Amino acid sequence: MSRGFVREGDQEEPVVIPQRAVLPDNVINYVTVNGMRELREELERLENDFAGVSVEDEKERRREQTLALGKIKLLQERMNAARLIHLEDQPKDEIRFGATVSFKNLSLKTNQVLTITGVDEANVAMQKIAFTTPIVRAITGAKVGDVIHFKLGANRSILSIEAIDYGNLV
């Protein structure tokens, strides 16, 4: 049917599907065992949401189902591209994916702890930082006792690595 014969009130707004956390182009999607479990749980919730859509209005039901299917598709793509990293295989004396790192910021005179995770399980409030972030890239490969000069924009920090642990994300 020609668009000229459609009433304005009959036109549906396109469904906007929110994007997942950014994974840079050509970067492998590393995940921990815990991260993969969280992705599977999220997929199950989304599938239940899709199956449980019970809106009476046909247009609204279609919108909700389209949104759920779009989220499911994006999540499945992310999961299919995931490469699972087993923490027991990581070098215990070196900062790698999955490590919980304690360090002193000598510039700010503060102690900090962060856990290196995949982009989907990163949560700054829980001190889980994605492996793609500048600070993680700066400390990857360091060992206890190493001093790292870290620059982010105009800010410069000197970080002293205090401890490395792989037991927090099993």
Side-chain angles (χ1 to χ4, degrees):
M1 176 185 319
S2 168
R3 299 295 299 162
F5 295 105
V6 177
R7 292 189 314 238
E8 276 191 44
D10 290 343
Q11 296 178 17
E12 291 184 27
E13 290 288 323
V15 176
V16 177
I17 305 194
Q19 294 297 308
R20 298 198 59 82
V22 175
L23 183 66
D25 291 340
N26 301 316
V27 172
I28 295 170
N29 182 30
Y30 295 114
V31 296
T32 63
V33 171
N34 183 60
M36 186 57 86
R37 183 175 54 249
E38 289 176 0
L39 291 173
R40 286 186 187 115
E41 289 169 358
E42 181 182 352
L43 180 59
E44 188 176 317
R45 281 191 307 273
L46 287 171
E47 289 172 341
N48 288 338
D49 289 350
F50 176 77
V53 171
S54 61
V55 177
E56 293 293 323
D57 180 45
E58 179 66 29
K59 188 187 323 184
E60 189 57 33
R61 182 174 43 250
R62 257 194 326 272
R63 289 181 56 73
E64 286 191 29
Q65 288 177 328
T66 300
L67 179 62
L69 281 175
K71 287 180 178 181
I72 288 169
K73 181 180 181 226
L74 289 175
L75 178 56
Q76 287 173 329
E77 287 172 2
R78 185 63 63 93
M79 291 172 70
N80 290 338
R83 183 179 297 168
L84 188 62
I85 300 294
H86 295 278
L87 302 185
E88 60 271 12
D89 296 337
Q90 299 292 59
K92 303 299 179 237
D93 65 337
E94 191 174 306
I95 299 173
R96 296 283 180 206
F97 184 86
T100 295
V101 182
S102 301
F103 59 94
K104 284 185 182 177
N105 185 322
L106 302 174
S107 305
L108 298 175
K109 297 180 178 34
T110 60
N111 293 323
Q112 295 176 281
V113 176
L114 63 81
T115 301
I116 302 169
T117 68
V119 294
D120 289 300
E121 64 184 310
N123 182 331
V124 175
M126 296 177 66
Q127 299 171 317
K128 293 180 175 183
I129 310 299
F131 71 96
T132 57
T133 61
I135 192 164
V136 171
R137 289 195 322 257
I139 65 174
T140 296
K143 297 181 178 193
V144 172
D146 286 355
V147 174
I148 311 297
H149 294 267
F150 174 63
K151 180 182 176 201
L152 184 61
N155 297 326
R156 297 175 189 269
S157 298
I158 300 172
L159 312 175
S160 174
I161 307 303
E162 301 293 312
I164 302 168
D165 180 42
Y166 285 92
N168 293 346
L169 286 176
V170 180

